[in-house]
Amino acid sequence: MPVRLRRMKGTLVDDKVRGRPDAPVSLADLANEAGVSISTVSRIVNGQIHRASPKTVARIQTLVKELGYRTNHAGRSLRRGDSRLVAMLAPNIDNPAMAAIAASTEAALRKAGYVMILCDTHDRADLQDEYLQAMRAQVAHGYVMVSSVRSPELSAAVERGDPMVFVGRRSPYGPAAYVGIDNRQAGADAADHLLALGLDRPAVLRPAVLSNSIADRVEGFLDRLAERGVPRKAIRIARGDGASHLDFGYDAAKALVAKGGWPAAIMCPSDLMAYGAYRLAHEQGIDVPGACRIVGIDENALNAWIAPWLTSIRIPYKDYGASVVEQLQALWAGQAPPERLLPHELVVR
């Protein structure tokens, strides 16, 4: 007996599987609904209608419209033997920011008919090189380098002119296709917010080893304070070590507090660093944001649920994917696309 499918409030709902309201309509769903084979449905949605009766063709075409079926371009490419693989190399994909970039890019590539392979480099040059070698062996059509680091294979790929888009951090080997935000301006906006609150002696937390994106955020913050009359020597800067931004924030906050107590405000160049600092504040009974106001940069989706104390600069990760695909398509066409800087905004809590 066919499984009945219908739309409820604009979303496809399977009467038998209510736990997956966002699941896309498949060829099997259409075949079940129409009471025909999957191969028959496949031929019709791909324009081969001469082997089916006019009644069946009309029925399938009506269901396609009613149920919102969309062709799986990626799957069709694989069946043709044209994998159209795009490799994304990103560090620490358990970081919500990295996960959001990956999800946005995968969706945009899939819509364009490409298959994305995600590789977690853990911010290590040796793993990055291993994945670059492996993806080149798989004849990847392009590369999305999220927060990449300097490495021999990356240098060689840039030298060869492999189609490569850098995301979050610019290429360490000169001008290249790039998608991100104006990190210096984001840091400046954080400074303006704290100064508007009368907090003119904020502290800064940062990793011991700086990437270019984090460095730009910190420098943008410090430069804006200097422009507004706050000398750099008056700003306390603490460095943190560890395996993640959570560790960086916690470790840097400990170093900061040990040398001068809690400041009235802290700028953290990532939300995860802000979480680390907040953990220490909670352990020491410091009221945030009452006694110490913390500003982060990311505004990841978790903030609305677990960080009502955190003001943050929102980075539009959900929009990265479309820009990445545009850059790749320009590279495939032999063009040199300009950097794509997406707008950011301050979310005050």
Side-chain angles (χ1 to χ4, degrees):
M1 185 173 182
V3 176
R4 299 299 300 175
L5 301 168
R6 68 178 186 277
R7 282 195 174 276
M8 180 178 290
K9 296 182 180 180
T11 301
L12 180 67
V13 177
D14 181 335
D15 284 342
K16 296 181 71 174
V17 190
R18 293 183 183 275
R20 298 181 60 205
D22 297 323
V25 183
S26 67
L27 291 175
D29 293 330
L30 294 176
N32 268 339
E33 182 70 8
V36 298
S37 69
I38 294 176
S39 60
T40 295
V41 174
S42 178
R43 286 194 296 271
I44 292 173
V45 298
N46 285 294
Q48 302 173 24
I49 62 175
H50 60 282
R51 294 178 57 183
S53 69
K55 181 178 179 180
T56 298
V57 171
R59 173 65 170 151
I60 297 301
Q61 291 174 339
T62 298
L63 286 172
V64 166
K65 293 179 181 178
E66 289 181 351
L67 303 181
Y69 172 79
R70 297 291 182 269
T71 301
N72 184 342
H73 296 291
R76 188 165 63 185
S77 293
L78 286 170
R79 289 191 295 273
R80 289 199 306 259
D82 174 17
S83 66
R84 306 187 78 187
L85 295 175
V86 173
M88 171 181 279
L89 279 66
N92 308 315
I93 58 177
D94 56 345
N95 181 325
M98 297 299 166
I101 294 172
S104 171
T105 304
E106 189 279 331
L109 284 167
R110 175 163 36 86
K111 183 177 180 180
Y114 294 88
V115 178
M116 188 183 93
I117 295 179
L118 178 59
C119 309
D120 191 340
T121 66
H122 297 278
D123 232 357
R124 288 170 44 188
D126 59 333
L127 284 180
Q128 179 174 282
D129 277 355
E130 284 185 22
Y131 282 126
L132 284 171
Q133 290 173 342
M135 292 301 100
R136 190 175 184 219
Q138 294 297 319
V139 197
H141 286 201
Y143 301 85
V144 182
M145 305 299 299
V146 183
S147 297
S148 60
V149 296
R150 298 180 69 91
S151 70
E153 284 296 323
L154 180 59
S155 175
V158 171
E159 182 68 23
R160 285 193 302 268
D162 292 353
M164 188 169 282
V165 177
F166 291 84
V167 178
R169 297 177 192 166
R170 289 178 172 83
S171 168
Y173 299 106
Y178 171 75
V179 174
I181 65 166
D182 185 337
N183 285 296
R184 293 187 67 88
Q185 185 59 50
D189 291 346
D192 285 338
H193 170 70
L194 293 179
L195 290 172
L197 296 176
L199 303 170
D200 60 357
R201 290 297 185 271
V204 178
L205 305 185
R206 45 151 287 188
V209 179
L210 285 173
S211 66
N212 55 28
S213 57
I214 295 295
D216 283 348
R217 294 174 189 180
V218 171
E219 288 302 311
F221 182 81
L222 295 173
D223 285 349
R224 178 55 56 86
L225 291 177
E227 291 171 9
R228 300 283 298 274
V230 182
R232 184 168 296 206
K233 64 181 180 181
I235 306 304
R236 296 163 58 199
I237 303 174
R239 296 164 174 79
D241 287 307
S244 71
H245 278 232
L246 289 168
D247 296 325
F248 299 157
Y250 186 84
D251 190 58
K254 284 185 69 175
L256 179 77
V257 172
K259 291 183 178 180
W262 283 91
I266 296 175
M267 195 286 282
C268 297
S270 75
D271 283 356
L272 289 186
M273 287 190 67
Y275 294 171
Y278 179 80
R279 170 65 180 267
L280 183 69
H282 179 72
E283 291 175 355
Q284 297 187 356
I286 301 300
D287 179 27
V288 176
C292 178
R293 187 171 293 272
I294 301 178
V295 176
I297 299 179
D298 273 329
E299 182 51 24
N300 70 63
L302 292 175
N303 288 358
W305 295 91
I306 67 172
W309 45 268
L310 180 61
T311 289
S312 185
I313 303 289
R314 175 183 286 133
I315 300 176
Y317 294 123
K318 63 182 177 60
D319 299 328
Y320 274 36
S323 295
V324 167
V325 171
E326 288 175 5
Q327 295 261 12
L328 282 171
Q329 289 173 333
L331 292 171
W332 290 327
Q335 303 168 7
E339 290 188 345
R340 180 78 167 92
L341 295 182
L342 299 175
H344 60 268
E345 62 176 329
L346 180 72
V347 177
V348 179
R349 292 188 178 85

